[in-house]
Amino acid sequence: MYKNVGNRNVMAYIYKDEFDAFYMPVIYLLGFLEIIALAFEYFLINYIVTKEVLAPIMQIDDGIKEIARGKLDTKLKTVGAVEFESICYVINQMSKSLLYSLEEVRKISEIDELTKLHNRRAFSRRINELKNQGTSMGVIYA
């Protein structure tokens, strides 16, 4: 760098203080911008992971909880990646199989093996269904 000394241009050394005075604010600004960029990248990656990975897992979890509560007719929606679709399909098949098995057990428990007629449990269940529907009924004992 040249400085005017009298009427001549003389090459002068840039001292550390002059360097610091000029470039340090720029360096601080670049460091601050880098921190902002890293924070933005962190939140962007966090958002993508949450949307693409955790959201489908949470939906699958909610569906499994419904099935565990006894709502075996619950169907999981296939969401997200192929792996999640496969998991949803298998869980839907499992709940369908459980529902079928439960119906089979219910049929077996309501039909007398010897007479092949409906037993007292089937009669009570049907009476309760009619009560819940608000149907008027009368029973005749003989």
Side-chain angles (χ1 to χ4, degrees), residues 37-130:
L38 287 173
F40 178 74
E41 289 174 11
Y42 169 77
F43 287 115
L44 181 66
I45 290 171
N46 189 20
Y47 172 76
I48 290 171
V49 167
T50 300
K51 184 179 178 202
E52 297 296 324
V53 177
L54 293 180
I57 290 174
M58 295 305 291
Q59 287 180 345
I60 292 171
D61 182 55
D62 291 342
I64 290 172
K65 286 178 183 173
E66 287 295 314
I67 292 170
R69 287 186 193 112
K71 296 181 180 179
L72 296 178
D73 57 343
T74 301
K75 297 291 181 211
L76 299 180
K77 295 178 185 174
T78 54
V79 292
V82 176
E83 293 83 3
F84 293 133
E85 290 179 6
S86 174
I87 290 170
C88 290
Y89 176 77
V90 169
I91 291 172
N92 286 337
Q93 291 297 81
M94 179 187 66
S95 68
K96 188 177 179 182
S97 175
L98 285 171
L99 187 62
Y100 176 76
S101 297
L102 184 64
E103 287 298 320
E104 288 298 312
V105 168
R106 187 174 290 142
K107 285 179 187 176
I108 291 170
S109 70
E110 292 180 351
I111 296 178
D112 187 274
E113 280 295 313
L114 184 60
T115 63
K116 302 294 183 201
L117 297 173
H118 289 282
N119 59 19
R120 182 176 159 271
R121 177 179 287 149
F123 181 71
S124 295
R125 183 183 56 79
R126 184 65 182 143
I127 294 286
N128 286 333
E129 285 176 3
L130 292 172

